[in-house]
Amino acid sequence: MDKLAVQLGARSYPISIGENLLSSAKLFESAIVNKKVMIITNNVVAPLYLQQCEKTLQNFQVEHIILPDGEKYKTFKTFEAILNTLLKKKYARDTTIVALGGGVIGDIAGFVAACYQRGVAFIQVPTTVLAQVDSSVGGKTAVNHPLGKNMIGAFYQPQTVIIDINCLKTLPKREFVAGMAEVIKYGVIYDRNFFDWLNDNVDDIKALEADKITYMIKRCCAIKAEIVAQDEKEHGIRALLNLGHTFGHAIEAEQGYGNWLHGEAVAVGIVIAAKIALTKGLIEREEVEQIMLLIDQFNLPSAPPELMKYSHFAKHMQLDKKVLDGKIRLILPTSIGTGDIFSDTSEAAMQSVIGL
Ligand SMILES: NC(=O)c1ccc[n+]([C@@H]2O[C@H](COP(=O)([O-])OP(=O)(O)OC[C@H]3O[C@@H](n4cnc5c(N)ncnc54)[C@H](O)[C@@H]3O)[C@@H](O)[C@H]2O)c1
Ligand SMILES: [Zn+2]
Protein backbone atom coordinates (compact mmCIF):
# COMPACT_ATOMS: atom_id res chain seq x y z
CA MET A 1 0.00 0.00 0.00
CA ASP A 2 1.15 3.53 -0.75
CA LYS A 3 0.19 6.60 1.21
CA LEU A 4 0.41 10.33 0.71
CA ALA A 5 -1.18 13.38 2.25
CA VAL A 6 -3.05 16.44 1.16
CA GLN A 7 -1.57 19.21 3.31
CA LEU A 8 -4.26 21.67 4.28
CA GLY A 9 -3.45 22.50 7.89
CA ALA A 10 -6.15 21.23 10.22
CA ARG A 11 -8.03 19.82 7.24
CA SER A 12 -5.12 17.67 5.99
CA TYR A 13 -5.96 14.09 5.09
CA PRO A 14 -4.33 10.89 3.89
CA ILE A 15 -4.79 9.14 0.56
CA SER A 16 -4.16 5.38 0.56
CA ILE A 17 -3.60 3.52 -2.69
CA GLY A 18 -3.26 -0.21 -3.22
CA GLU A 19 -4.87 -3.56 -3.82
CA ASN A 20 -7.77 -4.81 -1.75
CA LEU A 21 -8.06 -1.71 0.39
CA LEU A 22 -11.85 -2.03 0.45
CA SER A 23 -11.23 -4.79 2.99
CA SER A 24 -8.97 -2.73 5.22
CA ALA A 25 -11.05 -1.92 8.30
CA LYS A 26 -8.18 0.09 9.76
CA LEU A 27 -8.19 2.63 6.92
CA PHE A 28 -11.88 3.29 7.38
CA GLU A 29 -11.91 3.21 11.17
CA SER A 30 -9.38 5.98 11.58
CA ALA A 31 -11.71 8.33 9.71
CA ILE A 32 -15.07 7.33 11.18
CA VAL A 33 -16.36 9.70 13.85
CA ASN A 34 -18.82 7.51 15.74
CA LYS A 35 -21.05 4.50 15.22
CA LYS A 36 -23.23 5.62 12.35
CA VAL A 37 -22.06 5.25 8.77
CA MET A 38 -24.07 5.88 5.60
CA ILE A 39 -22.64 4.50 2.37
CA ILE A 40 -23.82 6.31 -0.75
CA THR A 41 -23.38 4.35 -3.97
CA ASN A 42 -25.26 3.49 -7.16
CA ASN A 43 -26.95 0.47 -8.70
CA VAL A 44 -23.93 -0.45 -10.84
CA VAL A 45 -21.31 -0.26 -8.11
CA ALA A 46 -23.47 -1.70 -5.31
CA PRO A 47 -23.66 -5.27 -6.69
CA LEU A 48 -19.89 -5.21 -7.20
CA TYR A 49 -18.52 -3.67 -4.01
CA LEU A 50 -21.17 -2.77 -1.45
CA GLN A 51 -21.16 -6.11 0.35
CA GLN A 52 -17.38 -6.08 0.68
CA CYS A 53 -17.48 -2.54 2.01
CA GLU A 54 -20.22 -3.31 4.53
CA LYS A 55 -18.36 -6.38 5.73
CA THR A 56 -15.29 -4.25 6.37
CA LEU A 57 -17.44 -1.85 8.38
CA GLN A 58 -19.27 -4.53 10.35
CA ASN A 59 -18.25 -3.03 13.70
CA PHE A 60 -20.32 0.04 12.90
CA GLN A 61 -24.00 0.75 12.35
CA VAL A 62 -23.89 0.79 8.57
CA GLU A 63 -26.69 1.59 6.17
CA HIS A 64 -26.65 2.45 2.50
CA ILE A 65 -28.41 4.55 -0.10
CA ILE A 66 -28.32 3.21 -3.65
CA LEU A 67 -28.86 5.85 -6.34
CA PRO A 68 -29.67 5.17 -9.96
CA ASP A 69 -26.53 5.27 -12.11
CA GLY A 70 -25.56 8.26 -14.17
CA GLU A 71 -24.67 11.92 -14.45
CA LYS A 72 -28.33 12.74 -15.04
CA TYR A 73 -29.04 11.91 -11.40
CA LYS A 74 -26.38 14.31 -10.11
CA THR A 75 -29.15 16.74 -9.31
CA PHE A 76 -30.62 18.83 -6.56
CA LYS A 77 -33.51 16.38 -6.44
CA THR A 78 -31.22 13.44 -5.62
CA PHE A 79 -29.35 15.61 -3.12
CA GLU A 80 -32.62 16.45 -1.40
CA ALA A 81 -33.77 12.82 -1.40
CA ILE A 82 -30.56 11.78 0.38
CA LEU A 83 -31.00 14.53 2.98
CA ASN A 84 -34.60 13.41 3.53
CA THR A 85 -33.43 9.86 4.20
CA LEU A 86 -30.75 10.98 6.63
CA LEU A 87 -33.22 13.14 8.53
CA LYS A 88 -35.95 10.52 8.65
CA LYS A 89 -33.44 8.00 9.97
CA LYS A 90 -32.32 10.53 12.56
CA TYR A 91 -28.70 10.65 11.51
CA ALA A 92 -26.90 13.14 13.75
CA ARG A 93 -23.83 15.37 13.48
CA ASP A 94 -21.54 12.44 14.25
CA THR A 95 -22.53 10.63 11.04
CA THR A 96 -19.85 9.52 8.60
CA ILE A 97 -20.73 9.47 4.90
CA VAL A 98 -18.89 7.05 2.62
CA ALA A 99 -18.93 7.75 -1.13
CA LEU A 100 -18.49 4.44 -2.94
CA GLY A 101 -18.36 4.95 -6.69
CA GLY A 102 -17.13 7.18 -9.49
CA GLY A 103 -17.03 10.95 -9.70
CA VAL A 104 -20.80 11.32 -9.81
CA ILE A 105 -21.21 9.56 -6.46
CA GLY A 106 -18.20 11.36 -4.95
CA ASP A 107 -19.48 14.77 -5.99
CA ILE A 108 -23.03 14.30 -4.75
CA ALA A 109 -22.14 12.43 -1.54
CA GLY A 110 -19.50 15.07 -0.81
CA PHE A 111 -22.01 17.86 -1.24
CA VAL A 112 -24.42 16.04 1.06
CA ALA A 113 -21.62 15.68 3.64
CA ALA A 114 -20.82 19.40 3.31
CA CYS A 115 -24.42 20.45 3.92
CA TYR A 116 -25.94 17.87 6.24
CA GLN A 117 -26.10 19.46 9.69
CA ARG A 118 -23.56 22.02 8.41
CA GLY A 119 -21.02 19.34 7.66
CA VAL A 120 -20.37 15.73 8.65
CA ALA A 121 -17.37 13.44 8.18
CA PHE A 122 -16.83 12.10 4.71
CA ILE A 123 -14.76 9.26 3.21
CA GLN A 124 -14.05 9.02 -0.51
CA VAL A 125 -13.82 5.50 -1.94
CA PRO A 126 -13.38 6.20 -5.66
CA THR A 127 -13.90 3.31 -8.06
CA THR A 128 -13.19 4.79 -11.52
CA VAL A 129 -9.86 5.99 -12.95
CA LEU A 130 -11.23 9.51 -13.17
CA ALA A 131 -12.34 9.49 -9.55
CA GLN A 132 -9.13 7.84 -8.32
CA VAL A 133 -6.80 10.31 -10.04
CA ASP A 134 -8.89 13.45 -9.92
CA SER A 135 -12.35 13.97 -8.46
CA SER A 136 -11.90 12.26 -5.06
CA VAL A 137 -8.97 14.51 -4.17
CA GLY A 138 -9.20 18.24 -3.57
CA GLY A 139 -12.62 18.77 -2.04
CA LYS A 140 -14.72 19.99 -4.94
CA THR A 141 -18.27 18.73 -4.49
CA ALA A 142 -21.33 19.62 -6.54
CA VAL A 143 -24.58 18.81 -8.23
CA ASN A 144 -25.69 19.97 -11.67
CA HIS A 145 -28.30 22.64 -12.41
CA PRO A 146 -30.34 22.74 -15.63
CA LEU A 147 -28.41 25.93 -16.49
CA GLY A 148 -24.97 24.45 -15.95
CA LYS A 149 -22.87 21.51 -14.80
CA ASN A 150 -21.50 21.59 -11.23
CA MET A 151 -23.10 25.00 -10.66
CA ILE A 152 -24.26 24.24 -7.11
CA GLY A 153 -21.64 22.94 -4.72
CA ALA A 154 -19.05 23.48 -2.05
CA PHE A 155 -15.38 23.05 -1.31
CA TYR A 156 -15.43 20.34 1.32
CA GLN A 157 -12.48 18.08 2.01
CA PRO A 158 -12.90 14.43 2.97
CA GLN A 159 -11.38 12.83 6.11
CA THR A 160 -9.59 10.31 3.96
CA VAL A 161 -9.44 8.87 0.42
CA ILE A 162 -9.22 5.08 0.09
CA ILE A 163 -8.24 3.97 -3.41
CA ASP A 164 -8.59 0.25 -4.11
CA ILE A 165 -7.07 -0.35 -7.53
CA ASN A 166 -8.78 -3.74 -7.77
CA CYS A 167 -12.00 -1.86 -8.46
CA LEU A 168 -10.63 -0.92 -11.88
CA LYS A 169 -10.86 -4.56 -12.99
CA THR A 170 -14.62 -4.28 -13.42
CA LEU A 171 -14.58 -0.83 -15.00
CA PRO A 172 -15.79 -0.83 -18.62
CA LYS A 173 -12.83 -0.36 -20.97
CA ARG A 174 -14.24 2.84 -22.42
CA GLU A 175 -14.46 4.37 -18.92
CA PHE A 176 -10.89 3.29 -18.19
CA VAL A 177 -9.61 4.89 -21.38
CA ALA A 178 -11.57 8.10 -20.71
CA GLY A 179 -10.00 8.37 -17.26
CA MET A 180 -6.57 8.15 -18.87
CA ALA A 181 -7.16 11.59 -20.42
CA GLU A 182 -6.98 13.13 -16.93
CA VAL A 183 -3.82 11.14 -16.24
CA ILE A 184 -2.19 12.42 -19.42
CA LYS A 185 -3.33 15.93 -18.45
CA TYR A 186 -1.09 15.86 -15.34
CA GLY A 187 1.92 14.89 -17.44
CA VAL A 188 1.32 17.55 -20.07
CA ILE A 189 0.69 20.47 -17.73
CA TYR A 190 2.90 19.63 -14.77
CA ASP A 191 5.34 16.75 -15.03
CA ARG A 192 7.52 15.90 -18.04
CA ASN A 193 9.03 12.85 -16.28
CA PHE A 194 5.58 11.44 -15.63
CA PHE A 195 4.62 12.06 -19.26
CA ASP A 196 7.69 10.05 -20.34
CA TRP A 197 6.91 7.33 -17.80
CA LEU A 198 3.40 7.02 -19.25
CA ASN A 199 4.91 6.70 -22.73
CA ASP A 200 7.20 3.92 -21.54
CA ASN A 201 4.45 1.97 -19.77
CA VAL A 202 1.45 2.10 -22.09
CA ASP A 203 1.05 -1.68 -22.38
CA ASP A 204 1.44 -2.42 -18.66
CA ILE A 205 -1.04 0.31 -17.80
CA LYS A 206 -3.57 -1.03 -20.29
CA ALA A 207 -3.05 -4.51 -18.80
CA LEU A 208 -3.76 -3.08 -15.32
CA GLU A 209 -0.40 -4.21 -13.99
CA ALA A 210 -0.81 -3.52 -10.26
CA ASP A 211 2.53 -1.84 -9.49
CA LYS A 212 2.28 0.40 -12.51
CA ILE A 213 -1.33 1.36 -11.83
CA THR A 214 -0.52 2.10 -8.19
CA TYR A 215 2.41 4.31 -9.19
CA MET A 216 0.34 6.06 -11.84
CA ILE A 217 -2.52 6.88 -9.48
CA LYS A 218 -0.14 7.88 -6.72
CA ARG A 219 1.71 10.30 -8.98
CA CYS A 220 -1.56 11.89 -10.15
CA CYS A 221 -2.84 12.24 -6.58
CA ALA A 222 0.51 13.68 -5.49
CA ILE A 223 0.38 16.31 -8.21
CA LYS A 224 -3.21 17.17 -7.39
CA ALA A 225 -2.42 17.29 -3.66
CA GLU A 226 0.55 19.58 -4.29
CA ILE A 227 -1.56 21.96 -6.36
CA VAL A 228 -4.55 21.91 -4.00
CA ALA A 229 -2.29 22.59 -1.01
CA GLN A 230 -1.15 25.79 -2.73
CA ASP A 231 -4.50 26.92 -4.09
CA GLU A 232 -7.45 25.10 -2.54
CA LYS A 233 -10.17 27.34 -3.98
CA GLU A 234 -8.77 27.78 -7.47
CA HIS A 235 -7.73 31.41 -7.46
CA GLY A 236 -4.57 30.60 -9.40
CA ILE A 237 -2.46 27.53 -10.09
CA ARG A 238 -5.30 25.00 -9.54
CA ALA A 239 -6.81 26.28 -12.78
CA LEU A 240 -3.97 24.50 -14.63
CA LEU A 241 -5.84 21.28 -13.97
CA ASN A 242 -8.55 22.55 -16.31
CA LEU A 243 -6.23 21.96 -19.28
CA GLY A 244 -8.37 20.84 -22.21
CA HIS A 245 -11.60 21.31 -20.26
CA THR A 246 -12.91 24.50 -21.89
CA PHE A 247 -12.94 22.78 -25.27
CA GLY A 248 -13.87 19.44 -23.72
CA HIS A 249 -16.95 20.86 -22.02
CA ALA A 250 -18.03 22.41 -25.33
CA ILE A 251 -17.84 18.99 -27.01
CA GLU A 252 -19.75 17.31 -24.18
CA ALA A 253 -22.47 19.96 -24.25
CA GLU A 254 -22.76 20.06 -28.05
CA GLN A 255 -22.90 16.28 -28.41
CA GLY A 256 -25.27 15.83 -25.48
CA TYR A 257 -23.86 14.69 -22.16
CA GLY A 258 -23.16 10.99 -22.14
CA ASN A 259 -22.59 10.59 -25.87
CA TRP A 260 -19.00 11.65 -25.50
CA LEU A 261 -17.46 10.71 -22.17
CA HIS A 262 -15.85 13.55 -20.24
CA GLY A 263 -12.33 12.14 -20.67
CA GLU A 264 -12.77 11.60 -24.41
CA ALA A 265 -13.76 15.24 -24.80
CA VAL A 266 -10.89 16.38 -22.57
CA ALA A 267 -8.40 14.42 -24.70
CA VAL A 268 -9.52 16.41 -27.75
CA GLY A 269 -9.42 19.58 -25.66
CA ILE A 270 -5.80 18.90 -24.70
CA VAL A 271 -4.87 18.50 -28.37
CA ILE A 272 -6.66 21.74 -29.30
CA ALA A 273 -4.91 23.58 -26.46
CA ALA A 274 -1.53 22.22 -27.57
CA LYS A 275 -2.16 23.26 -31.18
CA ILE A 276 -3.21 26.76 -30.10
CA ALA A 277 -0.03 26.94 -28.02
CA LEU A 278 1.89 26.03 -31.18
CA THR A 279 0.27 28.83 -33.23
CA LYS A 280 1.21 31.26 -30.45
CA GLY A 281 4.80 30.02 -30.52
CA LEU A 282 4.61 28.75 -26.94
CA ILE A 283 5.49 25.12 -27.59
CA GLU A 284 7.57 23.11 -30.08
CA ARG A 285 5.84 21.22 -32.89
CA GLU A 286 7.59 18.02 -31.85
CA GLU A 287 6.09 18.26 -28.37
CA VAL A 288 2.58 18.71 -29.77
CA GLU A 289 3.16 15.58 -31.84
CA GLN A 290 4.32 13.68 -28.75
CA ILE A 291 1.17 14.71 -26.88
CA MET A 292 -1.02 13.55 -29.78
CA LEU A 293 0.86 10.27 -30.01
CA LEU A 294 0.39 9.47 -26.32
CA ILE A 295 -3.32 10.29 -26.54
CA ASP A 296 -3.56 8.00 -29.54
CA GLN A 297 -1.66 5.18 -27.82
CA PHE A 298 -4.32 5.10 -25.13
CA ASN A 299 -6.99 4.93 -27.86
CA LEU A 300 -8.37 8.35 -27.02
CA PRO A 301 -9.71 10.65 -29.75
CA SER A 302 -7.65 13.69 -30.76
CA ALA A 303 -10.06 15.45 -33.12
CA PRO A 304 -13.52 16.88 -32.43
CA PRO A 305 -16.63 15.39 -34.00
CA GLU A 306 -16.58 15.95 -37.79
CA LEU A 307 -19.35 18.53 -37.88
CA MET A 308 -18.25 20.52 -34.86
CA LYS A 309 -16.72 23.81 -35.98
CA TYR A 310 -15.46 26.88 -34.17
CA SER A 311 -18.93 28.46 -33.99
CA HIS A 312 -20.23 25.43 -32.09
CA PHE A 313 -17.37 25.67 -29.62
CA ALA A 314 -17.79 29.44 -29.21
CA LYS A 315 -21.46 29.04 -28.31
CA HIS A 316 -20.60 26.87 -25.33
CA MET A 317 -17.36 28.53 -24.31
CA GLN A 318 -19.17 31.75 -23.42
CA LEU A 319 -21.06 29.84 -20.75
CA ASP A 320 -18.00 28.15 -19.38
CA LYS A 321 -16.82 29.11 -15.92
CA LYS A 322 -13.35 29.84 -17.24
CA VAL A 323 -14.54 33.03 -18.91
CA LEU A 324 -13.56 35.98 -16.73
CA ASP A 325 -14.41 39.59 -17.61
CA GLY A 326 -15.52 38.61 -21.10
CA LYS A 327 -12.07 37.34 -22.06
CA ILE A 328 -11.61 33.67 -22.62
CA ARG A 329 -9.02 32.27 -20.26
CA LEU A 330 -7.22 29.30 -21.71
CA ILE A 331 -4.83 26.91 -20.04
CA LEU A 332 -2.10 26.25 -22.57
CA PRO A 333 0.97 24.04 -22.34
CA THR A 334 4.25 25.94 -22.72
CA SER A 335 6.20 22.67 -23.08
CA ILE A 336 5.45 19.11 -22.03
CA GLY A 337 5.39 19.47 -18.25
CA THR A 338 4.67 23.19 -17.93
CA GLY A 339 1.75 25.46 -18.68
CA ASP A 340 0.11 28.73 -17.88
CA ILE A 341 -3.16 30.66 -18.04
CA PHE A 342 -3.53 32.94 -21.06
CA SER A 343 -6.22 35.59 -21.61
CA ASP A 344 -4.88 36.92 -24.90
CA THR A 345 -5.82 34.26 -27.44
CA SER A 346 -7.47 35.70 -30.53
CA GLU A 347 -10.56 34.16 -32.05
CA ALA A 348 -8.60 33.86 -35.28
CA ALA A 349 -6.04 31.62 -33.58
CA MET A 350 -8.76 29.37 -32.20
CA GLN A 351 -10.57 29.33 -35.54
CA SER A 352 -7.43 28.33 -37.40
CA VAL A 353 -6.91 25.34 -35.11
CA ILE A 354 -10.53 24.18 -34.82
CA GLY A 355 -11.72 25.08 -38.31
CA LEU A 356 -14.55 27.27 -39.52
N1 LIG B 1 -14.92 17.01 -7.85
C1 LIG B 1 -14.00 17.13 -8.78
O1 LIG B 1 -12.91 17.68 -8.57
C2 LIG B 1 -14.27 16.52 -10.11
C3 LIG B 1 -13.23 16.41 -11.04
C4 LIG B 1 -13.50 15.78 -12.25
C5 LIG B 1 -14.77 15.27 -12.51
N2 LIG B 1 -15.76 15.41 -11.58
C6 LIG B 1 -17.09 14.85 -11.82
O2 LIG B 1 -16.97 13.44 -11.90
C7 LIG B 1 -18.04 12.92 -12.68
C8 LIG B 1 -17.50 11.89 -13.63
O3 LIG B 1 -16.92 10.84 -12.89
P1 LIG B 1 -16.70 9.38 -13.52
O4 LIG B 1 -16.02 9.52 -14.82
O5 LIG B 1 -16.11 8.56 -12.46
O6 LIG B 1 -18.19 8.95 -13.89
P2 LIG B 1 -19.27 8.04 -13.12
O7 LIG B 1 -19.26 8.28 -11.69
O8 LIG B 1 -20.55 8.23 -13.86
O9 LIG B 1 -18.73 6.56 -13.41
C9 LIG B 1 -18.66 6.08 -14.72
C10 LIG B 1 -19.45 4.77 -14.88
O10 LIG B 1 -18.72 3.69 -14.28
C11 LIG B 1 -19.52 3.00 -13.34
N3 LIG B 1 -18.60 2.48 -12.34
C12 LIG B 1 -17.98 3.15 -11.36
N4 LIG B 1 -17.07 2.37 -10.76
C13 LIG B 1 -17.12 1.18 -11.38
C14 LIG B 1 -16.39 -0.03 -11.25
N5 LIG B 1 -15.38 -0.14 -10.37
N6 LIG B 1 -16.70 -1.08 -12.04
C15 LIG B 1 -17.69 -0.95 -12.98
N7 LIG B 1 -18.38 0.17 -13.19
C16 LIG B 1 -18.09 1.22 -12.40
C17 LIG B 1 -20.49 4.04 -12.87
O11 LIG B 1 -21.62 3.46 -12.28
C18 LIG B 1 -20.79 4.77 -14.18
O12 LIG B 1 -21.70 4.04 -14.95
C19 LIG B 1 -18.69 14.11 -13.35
O13 LIG B 1 -19.91 14.38 -12.71
C20 LIG B 1 -17.71 15.25 -13.10
O14 LIG B 1 -18.35 16.51 -13.03
C21 LIG B 1 -15.51 16.01 -10.40
ZN1 LIG C 1 -11.95 16.49 -16.00
Side-chain angles (χ1 to χ4, degrees):
M1 182 182 66
D2 274 287
K3 247 186 154 75
L4 55 115
V6 182
Q7 303 288 359
L8 285 168
R11 288 171 297 110
S12 298
Y13 54 96
I15 304 171
S16 310
I17 307 152
E19 288 191 274
N20 214 19
L21 301 195
L22 271 186
S23 301
S24 170
K26 242 178 154 177
L27 289 180
F28 284 88
E29 277 165 13
S30 56
I32 292 174
V33 176
N34 206 338
K35 279 264 159 253
K36 279 193 154 186
V37 178
M38 179 60 91
I39 301 175
I40 299 177
T41 186
N42 73 25
N43 60 5
V44 171
V45 178
L48 297 167
Y49 302 110
L50 181 58
Q51 206 185 2
Q52 193 184 351
C53 205
E54 290 192 323
K55 188 164 170 250
T56 304
L57 295 169
Q58 61 192 346
N59 291 335
F60 299 89
Q61 265 172 266
V62 191
E63 292 189 278
H64 56 251
I65 295 173
I66 299 178
L67 304 176
D69 180 38
E71 179 80 29
K72 76 168 190 269
Y73 296 101
K74 198 176 123 179
T75 58
F76 209 75
K77 209 174 146 197
T78 308
F79 168 78
E80 196 183 359
I82 298 171
L83 296 179
N84 289 343
T85 304
L86 292 170
L87 284 167
K88 279 187 197 146
K89 289 179 174 282
K90 302 202 175 346
Y91 273 76
R93 281 234 55 209
D94 59 0
T95 301
T96 304
I97 304 251
V98 174
L100 175 66
V104 167
I105 290 295
D107 276 16
I108 196 164
F111 189 41
V112 165
C115 297
Y116 190 65
Q117 310 227 357
R118 300 193 185 86
V120 296
F122 169 45
I123 300 177
Q124 284 272 20
V125 187
T127 59
T128 63
V129 173
L130 181 136
Q132 296 190 345
V133 303
D134 193 354
S135 64
S136 67
V137 175
K140 279 191 187 175
T141 72
V143 294
N144 299 327
H145 186 278
L147 293 178
K149 250 193 108 190
N150 295 329
M151 283 295 145
I152 318 288
F155 283 98
Y156 192 69
Q157 303 293 343
Q159 262 55 48
T160 191
V161 183
I162 300 170
I163 301 178
D164 188 335
I165 65 161
N166 285 352
C167 293
L168 301 182
K169 290 179 185 163
T170 55
L171 193 64
K173 195 160 173 252
R174 189 174 167 202
E175 294 287 350
F176 180 86
V177 166
M180 286 306 300
E182 306 283 4
V183 175
I184 293 169
K185 172 188 83 178
Y186 289 110
V188 172
I189 208 68
Y190 201 76
D191 187 346
R192 169 87 219 198
N193 288 337
F194 183 53
F195 182 93
D196 292 339
W197 181 89
L198 288 170
N199 240 326
D200 293 341
N201 290 282
V202 172
D203 293 337
D204 286 347
I205 294 167
K206 283 183 179 170
L208 290 184
E209 209 269 293
D211 288 348
K212 299 287 169 70
I213 292 287
T214 302
Y215 174 76
M216 179 183 93
I217 293 170
K218 187 180 167 193
R219 187 63 202 130
C220 294
C221 288
I223 293 171
K224 184 139 188 199
E226 205 171 302
I227 290 176
V228 167
Q230 290 172 59
D231 178 24
E232 184 182 9
K233 303 218 164 141
E234 199 171 311
H235 300 302
I237 186 178
R238 186 166 179 173
L240 289 184
L241 299 180
N242 295 325
L243 171 69
H245 280 62
T246 297
F247 302 109
H249 287 156
I251 295 173
E252 284 182 274
E254 182 69 17
Q255 298 301 304
Y257 286 100
N259 290 325
W260 272 58
L261 295 182
H262 175 72
E264 295 165 346
V266 166
V268 174
I270 293 173
V271 172
I272 293 174
K275 286 181 172 173
I276 290 173
L278 179 65
T279 66
K280 289 167 76 91
L282 299 169
I283 191 170
E284 301 291 330
R285 181 175 297 278
E286 198 196 333
E287 290 185 300
V288 177
E289 282 163 5
Q290 286 172 8
I291 293 169
M292 290 177 70
L293 194 65
L294 187 61
I295 282 174
D296 186 55
Q297 282 193 287
F298 280 103
N299 311 104
L300 281 159
S302 53
E306 186 93 18
L307 295 172
M308 217 180 143
K309 301 299 174 205
Y310 178 69
S311 58
H312 301 103
F313 277 91
K315 189 173 72 188
H316 298 289
M317 279 162 20
Q318 304 309 320
L319 288 171
D320 195 279
K321 283 179 289 189
K322 278 132 231 132
V323 179
L324 211 66
D325 305 329
K327 274 201 190 123
I328 181 105
R329 292 167 80 233
L330 291 179
I331 316 301
L332 302 176
T334 48
S335 71
I336 292 176
T338 59
D340 214 332
I341 305 166
F342 294 86
S343 307
D344 62 347
T345 303
S346 67
E347 285 211 284
M350 290 192 279
Q351 282 169 0
S352 75
V353 166
I354 294 168
L356 276 171

